[in-house]
């Protein structure tokens, strides 16, 4: 059975990058300034999403710390650079980074981003081959998934959506839409001209759902990915568990 590349960014070079505005129905309004030191970013069940407003964002190893990375805006695919906020400290935000290693964080300046929020999150249970979309504590969508095979597994962890792509052929191997994830394959440094980035994408072949079949991506039905594309904003938290 053919496997789907983990490197959606390479394998979907001809895809259309959809603007974040198309998924704005999943985001809340602009929140107030970050709370006090160590303030939880998901107060009242909402995650904070930071969208870059300049041409680049400097990432530091702490508030007023040493620069460790500079990330361009838009990203390599032309999508707005977004981050999932983990905590706030004064004028600084600790954010989940869309780079290796998976789960790494860094600090960015509050005045270099625009903050929005969402009550949505996607939970993926690999053991049960299922996903749930929650709006706060209420499940609003669920279904079957396919995941990576043993030698190119889907890694568990906390991620977020970094871009939304529309493949040229909805009946092709990537389905109707593909959300890039902030995580990367643990076994593939590169694939199909891309960096081994993970994704959640559709499939026209629902017979593969409930199986291990991919190079690390999570597959859902075309109906499910179309629903996600219409409701979940870039920056939506994604929890993948075993």
């Amino acid at each position: 059975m053919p496997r789907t590349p983990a490197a959606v960014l390479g394998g979907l070079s001809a895809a259309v990058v959809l603007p974040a505005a198309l998924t704005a129905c999943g985001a809340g309004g602009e929140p107030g300034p970050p709370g006090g030191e160590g303030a939880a970013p998901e107060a009242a069940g909402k995650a904070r999403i930071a969208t870059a407003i300049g041409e680049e964002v400097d990432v530091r190893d702490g508030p007023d710390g040493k620069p460790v990375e500079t990330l361009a805006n838009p990203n390599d695919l032309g999508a707005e650079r977004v981050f999932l906020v983990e905590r706030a400290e004064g004028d600084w935000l600790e954010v989940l980074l869309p780079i290796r290693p998976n789960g790494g964080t860094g600090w960015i300046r509050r005045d270099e981003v625009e903050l929005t929020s969402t009550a949505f999150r996607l939970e993926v249970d690999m053991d049960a081959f299922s996903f749930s979309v929650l709006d706060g504590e209420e499940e609003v969508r669920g279904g079957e998934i396919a995941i990576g095979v043993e030698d190119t597994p889907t890694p568990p962890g906390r991620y977020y959506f970094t871009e939304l792509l529309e493949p040229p052929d909805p009946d092709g191997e990537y389905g109707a839409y593909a959300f890039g994830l902030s995580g990367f394959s643990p076994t593939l440094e590169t694939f199909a001209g891309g960096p081994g980035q993970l994704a959640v994408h559709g499939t026209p072949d629902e017979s593969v759902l409930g199986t291990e079949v991919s190079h690390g991506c999570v597959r859902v039905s075309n109906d499910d990915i179309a629903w996600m594309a219409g409701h979940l904003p870039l920056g939506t938290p994604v929890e993948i568990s075993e």
Side-chain angles (χ1 to χ4, degrees):
M1 185 176 295
R3 293 186 292 171
T4 300
V8 166
L9 298 190
L12 288 178
S13 58
V16 176
V17 181
L18 300 179
L22 292 186
T23 55
C25 60
E30 173 76 12
E37 184 170 335
E42 296 190 28
K46 290 190 176 183
R48 285 182 179 171
I49 301 164
T51 302
I53 56 178
E55 294 183 354
E56 59 184 28
V57 177
D58 289 325
V59 180
R60 299 176 181 268
D61 61 4
D64 287 315
K66 177 182 176 182
V68 293
E69 190 84 27
T70 298
L71 297 176
N73 181 46
N75 67 17
D76 291 343
L77 273 165
E80 286 185 300
R81 178 71 69 182
V82 298
F83 303 92
L84 179 61
V85 179
E86 297 289 74
R87 66 191 298 259
E89 188 171 315
D91 294 331
W92 294 88
L93 303 170
E94 185 180 21
V95 296
L96 194 61
L97 296 174
I99 59 176
R100 295 180 191 269
N102 292 343
T105 64
W107 292 83
I108 62 176
R109 288 191 58 86
R110 167 65 178 85
D111 59 9
E112 291 187 348
V113 298
E114 180 181 66
L115 284 175
T116 53
S117 65
T118 182
F120 286 118
R121 69 183 185 276
L122 172 64
E123 295 185 352
V124 174
D125 185 336
M126 292 192 289
D127 187 55
F129 290 96
S130 67
F131 78 86
S132 297
V133 177
L134 291 97
D135 182 357
E137 297 306 314
E138 179 186 359
E139 182 177 343
V140 293
R141 188 84 178 187
E144 273 194 298
I145 63 169
I147 59 175
V149 298
E150 184 176 359
D151 59 342
T152 55
T154 303
R158 177 173 168 81
Y159 308 102
Y160 66 92
F161 289 146
T162 54
E163 53 270 315
L164 175 60
L165 309 176
E166 185 175 11
D169 180 8
D171 293 323
E173 62 181 347
Y174 299 103
Y177 296 98
F179 277 105
L181 286 177
S182 59
F184 297 81
S185 167
T187 58
L188 299 172
E189 292 294 326
T190 61
F191 195 92
Q197 182 178 348
L198 302 170
V200 176
H201 67 79
T203 178
D205 181 7
E206 297 188 18
S207 69
V208 304
L209 301 179
T211 70
E212 297 177 358
V213 67
S214 79
H215 278 93
C217 288
V218 175
R219 296 190 203 181
V220 300
S221 73
N222 269 347
D223 284 346
D224 286 332
I225 200 66
W227 185 94
M228 292 181 195
H231 289 79
L232 306 184
L234 300 186
T236 295
V238 179
E239 298 277 356
I240 300 179
S241 62
E242 294 180 298

